Amino acid sequence: MKKQIFKTLVIFIAVFVFCLAVNENTRAADASSLTFKNCPGGVMVSDCNDSASGELVIPSKYNGHKVVKIGDNAFDNCARLTKVVIPEGVTAIGESAFEGCVALANVEFPESLKTIAAYAFFCCDALKKVELYQNVTSIGEYAFYECTNLKSVNIPDGIAVIEEGTFGECTALSKIYIPDSVVTIEDAAFMSCPNIAEIYYCKSVFAWLSIAFGHDNTDISGKTADFFNHEHN
């Protein structure tokens, strides 16, 4: 009987110590997880504690200054973040800003956003949907490469070039909206996207056939687009 009690006590202590260790290595994401630096026009998020977990709402101001940018590598490899809300006022997301955030399933982008740099969401495996407002005019190369659970993307009006590798290896991607502003789709922009079934393009058949497709885009270039007006959902 005493042996059984002792064994139970040892197991309880082991579980308790394990839980303490887990709690020390994770923390609920909030503004205290972030580091800010001055930049033109306000401040930018320059770093995030790797232990931050769950949902994070980035504040629109820090010490009275507007948050206008997510800096290069600011959240890279924050593997426990599941959702990020980017506030209005942010105009740019830097290079590799969220690279390797493997649990990040949901990102709310602001209407103020204009540019997404290269590799910004590289290997964000859990990301399911990308909904961007029409102010976005530039998405860098490999920005969403290997987001293997990404299912739908709307590319904003004003994007002229879908850059190299932007949506490559997005193996679950099934639906994309392409505006009539797009004239070039660079090499491997949609490489290894075998499940694309719905392509919606805002112009004529002739215009679709006139787009300059780079190499390794057969998962999109070899398919017929459906045509719609600007009032799509």
Side-chain angles (χ1 to χ4, degrees):
M1 181 68 177
K2 288 182 178 180
K3 287 184 178 181
Q4 184 63 37
I5 293 174
F6 178 75
K7 185 178 179 180
T8 303
L9 182 60
V10 169
I11 293 172
F12 174 79
I13 292 172
V15 171
F16 179 72
V17 170
F18 173 78
C19 290
L20 283 178
V22 170
N23 286 334
E24 285 180 0
N25 291 321
T26 62
R27 57 185 293 182
D30 59 24
S32 68
S33 305
L34 304 175
T35 301
F36 297 86
K37 287 185 178 179
N38 292 329
C39 69
V43 296
M44 67 177 178
V45 180
S46 61
D47 195 19
C48 179
N49 192 309
D50 289 346
S51 65
S53 65
E55 299 185 5
L56 172 65
V57 178
I58 299 172
S60 59
K61 288 186 177 182
Y62 175 74
N63 285 346
H65 299 286
K66 288 183 179 180
V67 177
V68 297
K69 182 179 179 180
I70 309 299
D72 295 351
N73 304 104
F75 293 89
D76 64 333
N77 296 312
C78 287
R80 300 180 182 90
L81 287 177
T82 58
K83 178 179 179 179
V84 172
V85 179
I86 302 173
E88 283 298 331
V90 169
T91 60
I93 297 174
E95 186 169 325
S96 298
F98 294 91
E99 181 176 341
C101 293
V102 294
L104 186 62
N106 189 350
V107 178
E108 292 188 12
F109 297 95
E111 192 169 356
S112 56
L113 185 65
K114 295 180 180 179
T115 62
I116 299 173
Y119 298 91
F121 295 90
F122 187 89
C123 288
C124 288
D125 296 341
L127 192 63
K128 294 179 180 178
K129 182 187 294 186
V130 174
E131 293 187 346
L132 301 170
Y133 288 96
Q134 299 305 318
N135 289 325
V136 175
T137 57
S138 175
I139 302 173
E141 63 182 15
Y142 296 92
F144 295 94
Y145 188 87
E146 210 168 304
C147 293
T148 54
N149 279 292
L150 184 62
K151 294 182 179 179
S152 67
V153 172
N154 72 303
I155 297 169
D157 294 342
I159 295 287
V161 178
I162 301 176
E163 296 194 21
E164 181 176 336
T166 302
F167 299 102
E169 300 286 351
C170 291
T171 52
L173 187 61
S174 62
K175 181 189 296 185
I176 52 175
Y177 294 94
I178 300 176
D180 56 12
S181 56
V182 170
V183 295
T184 302
I185 297 177
E186 293 188 345
D187 292 352
F190 292 95
M191 179 183 70
S192 298
C193 297
N195 290 306
I196 292 177
E198 299 174 68
I199 303 169
Y200 298 95
Y201 176 64
C202 187
K203 214 169 185 181
S204 66
V205 174
F206 177 78
W208 173 252
L209 295 175
S210 298
I211 292 176
F213 286 93
H215 298 296
D216 296 319
N217 283 307
T218 55
D219 287 324
I220 178 174
S221 61
K223 294 181 179 177
T224 303
D226 290 318
F227 302 95
F228 63 94
N229 60 30
H230 284 275
E231 301 300 321
H232 69 275
N233 293 316

